[in-house]
Amino acid sequence: MQDDLLNILSNSNKEIDNQKLMDYLSNQLSDKEKHEFEKELIDSEMLSDAVEGLESFANKNDVSLFAEQLNKNLQKQLRKKKQRKERRILTNMQWVYFAIVLLLLIIVISFLVIGTHLKLK
């Protein structure tokens, strides 16, 4: 469970030490380390936002469940977007094929009409 909590920000920003962040939130840092972390907190807006968001969870188990839910929702949205894009490409190609066939038919009919019109004269 603790590993899941440490992976919350794993791909986000390399400046953030996830272990230090979780230790800070659970009050496991010494006073000196806590002071150094708070200095970093002042300098980094992203880190301060992360701490603020994670502090809003009363139960640390909620953090991992929330992260899992966010990941599932993100994957679902990305899948839907990809499917829509693929459908759009296929429907656009059908219109291109239809337009090409229609133009060819118009050209053939025009050629036949002009050819028969010239033969009559």
Side-chain angles (χ1 to χ4, degrees):
M1 181 61 75
Q2 185 66 18
D3 291 338
D4 293 339
L5 294 176
L6 294 177
N7 288 329
I8 293 171
L9 300 171
S10 62
N11 295 325
S12 59
N13 191 345
K14 300 302 178 193
E15 296 174 9
I16 297 175
D17 181 13
N18 295 330
Q19 180 63 47
K20 200 174 200 181
L21 176 63
M22 296 310 294
D23 288 345
Y24 175 78
L25 290 172
S26 59
N27 285 331
Q28 294 178 354
L29 294 178
S30 67
D31 289 338
K32 183 180 178 184
E33 289 175 331
K34 190 174 184 179
H35 182 68
E36 288 175 10
F37 186 80
E38 288 172 348
K39 280 184 183 178
E40 291 176 27
L41 195 63
I42 292 171
D43 293 338
S44 174
E45 186 176 325
M46 182 176 172
L47 182 58
S48 62
D49 288 344
V51 169
E52 182 180 328
L54 291 172
E55 282 178 339
S56 67
F57 288 97
N59 187 356
K60 298 303 180 205
N61 293 334
D62 292 344
V63 175
S64 62
L65 293 175
F66 186 70
E68 284 180 34
Q69 184 181 7
L70 284 175
N71 284 331
K72 286 179 186 178
N73 288 342
L74 179 63
Q75 292 298 326
K76 187 177 179 181
Q77 286 178 351
L78 290 175
R79 233 180 289 118
K80 282 183 183 179
K81 239 181 189 180
K82 185 177 179 182
Q83 288 172 349
R84 257 189 257 133
K85 187 176 181 181
E86 288 172 354
R87 271 190 257 135
R88 195 174 339 138
I89 289 172
L90 292 177
T91 56
N92 287 344
M93 293 302 292
Q94 290 173 350
W95 283 107
V96 170
Y97 294 144
F98 177 74
I100 289 171
V101 169
L102 186 64
L103 285 173
L104 288 174
L105 283 173
I106 291 172
I107 291 170
V108 169
I109 291 171
S110 300
F111 180 73
L112 292 175
V113 168
I114 291 174
T116 57
H117 182 68
L118 290 177
K119 285 184 185 178
L120 292 176
K121 286 186 178 184

